[in-house]
Amino acid sequence: AFTQTTNNPIPTAVPSLSIAPDARAGGMGDIGAATTPDVNSQYWNAAKYVFMESDAGVSLSYTPWLRKLVTDINLAYLSGYWKFEQHQALSASLRYFSLGDIELMDELGMPAGSAHPNEYAVDVAYSRMLSDKLSASAALRFIYSDLGNGSGNVQMFPGAAVAADIAAYYKTPIPLQGVDGNLAFGLNISNIGSKISYDQNETSNFIPTNLRLGGSFDYPIDNYNKISVSADLNKLLVPTPKLNPTLQDIKAYNDMSPLTGIFTSFSDAPGGLAEEIQEIMWSIGVEYAYNNQFFVRGGYYN
């Protein structure tokens, strides 16, 4: 029987695609579906770009990943956008994830060289205003993962995949005691695409297709001070493996198509509804802004 302590994680290839790439969203508990638009909206919800006040922007982020464990894993992220018309925008990003140097050993425990795994993804998006309060976007992404880079005799081949994102953003003013707050909702279904293989298509792995729903409320205290509260819900749209799979179960899992996996992911948890609910990740965050130049942020991710 499934219990809350049962460990049954959902495996995906290219897990680096799920790492928050920018400081703002990371500081608020990995939140970004409905927060106020910024230059890094490409990852969280590209539909927000048409609500940007400026016509263009570029951002470069660097994250030293897991520094308390290792010193050579890092994520670099470059993003930018261009509002070429009042109601339309183009945006793009480049993500590079390095897993550092890994010393390899053979089955006898003898040194077998080293590997320098890395993954990257490049994407472009188009966003459009559908009304004064609603926008939508679509993105296309190319993903490349080389886990055996420089590994010599180890038979591991680079994998590639293509994917798409579909997103929407809704924002409306809320009058409160003489000032207008802003209520926003966001939706982003990301990494809808092909599976990836590291053994020349002998087997294949799901990429982290994800459903993100979010809400946010901004309240301007006065002309200089503003506070916002936001929350996101996330669910991987990837099938859950069985707890004690047979060879037939493993083959069926590997042969499942990405589209079938998306629909199956809502009702396939071995522990039933209790496990399906536990597969939903949630986060809440708060941001205080002074003159839109100085910020204090905090968040919680579960």
Side-chain angles (χ1 to χ4, degrees):
F2 181 83
T3 66
Q4 290 189 347
T5 58
T6 301
N7 185 14
N8 189 29
I10 301 175
T12 70
V14 206
S16 63
L17 291 177
S18 300
I19 299 174
D22 63 295
R24 180 197 184 195
M28 295 176 67
D30 288 11
I31 285 178
T35 51
T36 52
D38 63 24
V39 70
N40 291 301
S41 296
Q42 180 81 353
Y43 177 78
W44 303 99
N45 186 341
K48 297 193 291 184
Y49 279 124
V50 288
F51 284 92
M52 291 289 289
E53 295 181 359
S54 58
D55 290 335
V58 177
S59 174
L60 177 63
S61 301
Y62 174 79
T63 305
W65 189 243
L66 300 178
R67 270 302 187 261
K68 290 187 177 181
L69 299 178
V70 291
T71 60
D72 58 358
I73 297 180
N74 55 77
L75 170 67
Y77 185 71
L78 175 67
S79 64
Y81 75 96
W82 172 44
K83 288 179 63 177
F84 61 92
E85 197 265 339
Q86 184 178 1
H87 302 297
Q88 301 180 82
L90 292 174
S91 53
S93 73
L94 172 64
R95 163 189 292 258
Y96 178 79
F97 185 70
S98 172
L99 281 81
D101 297 330
I102 298 178
E103 299 299 323
L104 304 177
M105 297 183 181
D106 59 21
E107 61 273 12
L108 299 178
M110 301 299 293
S114 61
H116 315 284
N118 59 71
E119 299 174 337
Y120 71 81
V122 58
D123 50 42
V124 294
Y126 168 76
S127 53
R128 182 181 180 87
M129 191 92 72
L130 303 180
S131 71
D132 291 341
K133 299 179 180 180
L134 177 66
S135 63
S137 71
L140 295 177
R141 178 172 298 108
F142 174 74
I143 303 162
Y144 184 85
S145 177
D146 190 356
L147 299 183
N149 182 26
S151 57
N153 296 328
V154 178
Q155 288 296 99
M156 182 175 292
F157 301 90
V162 291
D165 298 355
I166 299 173
Y169 180 67
Y170 177 82
K171 179 181 178 182
T172 184
I174 302 293
L176 290 172
Q177 298 179 350
V179 297
D180 279 344
N182 287 293
L183 180 65
F185 298 98
L187 163 70
N188 186 16
I189 306 176
S190 59
N191 297 317
I192 309 167
S194 62
K195 298 171 75 173
I196 195 169
S197 175
Y198 297 100
D199 53 11
Q200 297 183 319
N201 295 318
E202 291 294 326
T203 61
S204 59
N205 304 271
F206 290 94
I207 60 176
T209 307
N210 185 76
L211 170 64
R212 180 184 297 274
L213 293 168
S216 182
F217 180 73
D218 298 335
Y219 178 71
I221 302 171
D222 53 36
N223 292 334
Y224 292 96
N225 300 277
K226 183 177 69 174
I227 190 167
S228 64
V229 179
S230 308
D232 275 9
L233 296 175
N234 285 275
K235 188 184 189 310
L236 280 173
L237 302 184
V238 176
T240 306
K242 294 188 176 180
L243 289 172
N244 299 294
T246 63
L247 292 177
Q248 185 176 2
D249 293 331
I250 295 174
K251 184 179 186 304
Y253 189 90
N254 289 331
D255 293 343
M256 187 181 300
S257 70
L259 186 59
T260 301
I262 290 175
F263 290 103
T264 301
S265 66
F266 289 98
S267 59
D268 64 349
L273 181 60
E275 186 175 356
E276 290 289 353
I277 292 175
Q278 289 189 26
E279 289 178 357
I280 298 174
M281 299 159 281
W282 59 272
S283 50
I284 185 170
V286 178
E287 178 183 71
Y288 164 77
Y290 176 76
N291 201 27
N292 282 329
Q293 293 182 330
F294 301 96
F295 303 87
V296 177
R297 304 179 177 116
Y300 177 81
Y301 177 86
N302 180 74

